[in-house]
């Protein structure tokens, strides 16, 4: 992007840093490595299937622009989660204002069937799996955001507590206590659902 | 490390893989991102090209051709240029109607074109601030007159069709603000930046916006506010590419 380079020193201009040529391949490998994580996390943070594409796109557009800010590859997921939660928060705010048929009021648990149909291939397990996913999303949806995110990162992504702490910008003690509370929420919800006789998979 | 009970674990194990994307999801989103990034990069280059008074070095070829054109055309040109560079955005040149925009000089000499829906913000960046006399043969007030005197919030919203990615619209608005700063019109720049903040509160270009706010306040001589804005900027985006210029502005924090 030589246009950019020629005028980067202009005082006060709104220069958008153009990627160096190495950036493109960095971005490609970053995308390949982390796409699934972003996709899953966006879903689990409560974005309806109809809106997941757009939100995941937004995340990677930001990643593309910021990739040069990433300090070390070791912290990539923590850094990335910071972007994901920001974009998701913003999207949820926007989607809530839109009518349901545009992907508005519909939340994660609402049209989970369509999502499960698309992502589950084995017919023999699809009913049980679909039910499990529906429950998982419903339980996550009922959790306070702070607990929800540590629960997702720990129980579903198997991230370490220090890594989670870096991801959510809290210290490890805080993460531990949120995680404890989230697990208690989850156990309670599972027990309640079972008592309500809605889940029979065992 | 999980302290969950067996039932909860069983549920999680069963549900864990179901949120994964398919290969088609991966490919579809990848090409959508590539397209948006190409436009962002092209329009970003246009932001700089549009604010450059003298173009030197390797950018001369692109910049020199763009110089006599209106801003809207510059953006179009830059998108085309990026496509040529190999971003593969050829199809996106079409996403904006390539209607020729009247340049500032053209609109002063010739009677005004009929109002166009596309890119009103791009034109209003170009004309001088003196209100253009309304031509007597043209009873309809031209849109650029009011757009120059006062930026109505709805004006940029009328821009392109909904198929144009919001990043492109964001960049246009910022480009206009930047032109205002370069022309010394900090007040107008602030109006545009506020507009940007309202429409794209956490848009892809919010860093650039907040940096531009510092420069706009400096242009107005509102040093105290510039300093406060710079402080906010530097604490929010300490590693931003814009940080060095913010530190070099009149809003530089005093240590």
């Amino acid at each position: 992007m030589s246009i950019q380079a020629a005028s980067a020193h202009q005082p006060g201009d709104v220069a958008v840093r153009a990627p160096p040529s190495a950036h493109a391949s960095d971005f490609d490998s970053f995308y390949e490595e982390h796409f699934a994580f972003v996709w899953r996390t966006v879903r689990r943070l409560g974005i309806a299937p109809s809106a997941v594409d757009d939100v995941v796109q937004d995340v990677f557009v930001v990643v593309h622009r910021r990739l040069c800010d990433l300090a070390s590859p070791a912290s990539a997921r923590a850094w990335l989660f910071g972007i994901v939660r920001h974009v998701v928060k913003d999207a949820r705010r926007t989607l809530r204002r839109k009518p349901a048929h545009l992907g508005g009021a519909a939340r994660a648990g609402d049209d989970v069937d369509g999502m499960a149909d698309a992502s589950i291939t084995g017919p023999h397990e699809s009913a049980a799996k679909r039910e499990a996913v529906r429950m998982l999303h419903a339980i996550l949806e009922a959790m306070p955001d702070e607990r929800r995110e540590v629960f997702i990162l720990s129980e579903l992504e198997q991230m370490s507590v220090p890594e989670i702490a870096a991801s959510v910008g809290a210290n490890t003690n805080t993460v531990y206590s949120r995680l404890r509370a989230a697990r208690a929420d989850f156990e309670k919800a599972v027990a309640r659902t079972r008592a309500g006789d809605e889940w029979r998979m065992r | 490390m999980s302290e969950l009970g067996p039932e909860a674990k069983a549920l999680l194990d069963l549900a864990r893989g179901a949120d994964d994307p398919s290969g088609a999801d991966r490919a579809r989103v990848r090409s959508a991102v590539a397209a948006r990034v190409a436009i962002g990069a092209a329009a970003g280059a246009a932001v700089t090209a549009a604010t450059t008074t003298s173009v030197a070095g390797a950018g001369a070829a692109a910049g020199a051709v763009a110089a006599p054109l209106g801003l809207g055309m510059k953006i179009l040109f830059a998108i085309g240029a990026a496509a040529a560079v190999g971003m593969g955005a050829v199809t996106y040149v079409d996403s904006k109607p390539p209607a020729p925009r009247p340049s500032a000089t053209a609109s002063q000499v010739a009677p005004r074109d009929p109002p166009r829906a596309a890119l009103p913000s791009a034109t209003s960046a170009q004309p001088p601030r003196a209100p253009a006399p309304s031509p007597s043969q043209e009873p309809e007030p031209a849109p650029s007159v009011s757009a120059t005197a006062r930026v109505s919030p709805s004006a940029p919203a009328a821009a392109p069709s909904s198929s144009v990615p919001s990043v492109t619209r964001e960049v246009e608005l910022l480009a206009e603000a930047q032109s205002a700063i370069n022309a010394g019109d900090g007040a107008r720049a602030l109006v545009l930046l506020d507009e940007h903040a309202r429409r794209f509160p956490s848009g892809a270009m919010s860093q650039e916006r907040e940096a531009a706010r510092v420069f706009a306040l400096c242009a107005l001589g509102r040093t105290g506010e510039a300093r406060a804005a710079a402080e906010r900027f530097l604490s929010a985006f300490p590693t931003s590419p814009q940080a060095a210029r913010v530190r070099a502005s009149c809003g530089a924090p005093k240590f």
Side-chain angles (χ1 to χ4, degrees), chain A residues 13-14 28 65 187 194, chain B residues 5 7 28 30 178 204 245:
Chain A
D13 67 0
V14 190
D28 285 345
R65 210 168 55 79
E187 291 282 13
R194 189 160 177 270
Chain B
E7 204 164 0
R28 186 183 62 251
R30 179 73 185 87
Q178 187 59 53
R245 288 214 315 280

Side-chain angles (χ1 to χ4, degrees), chain A residues 19-35 38 56-68 70 79-80 83, chain B residues 26 29-38 87:
Chain A
S21 51
H23 180 97
S25 62
D26 287 352
F27 177 77
D28 285 345
S29 57
F30 190 91
Y31 180 89
E32 288 308 317
E33 189 178 344
H34 296 290
F35 173 74
V38 172
V56 174
Q57 277 181 39
D58 287 347
V59 168
F60 280 104
V61 168
V62 175
V63 165
H64 186 273
R65 210 168 55 79
R66 300 259 169 88
L67 199 51
C68 39
L70 175 57
W79 176 81
L80 182 55
I83 294 175
Chain B
R26 180 182 292 265
V29 173
R30 179 73 185 87
S31 56
V33 170
R36 286 178 57 183
V37 161
M87 300 296 279

Side-chain angles (χ1 to χ4, degrees), chain B residues 53-65:
Chain B
T53 46
S54 67
V55 181
V65 181

Side-chain angles (χ1 to χ4, degrees), chain B residues 103-131:
Chain B
S103 71
T105 42
S107 64
Q108 283 159 358
V109 176
R112 250 171 262 284
D113 283 1
R116 287 173 204 272
L119 296 176
S121 56
T123 12
S124 58
Q126 291 302 313
R129 258 165 295 140

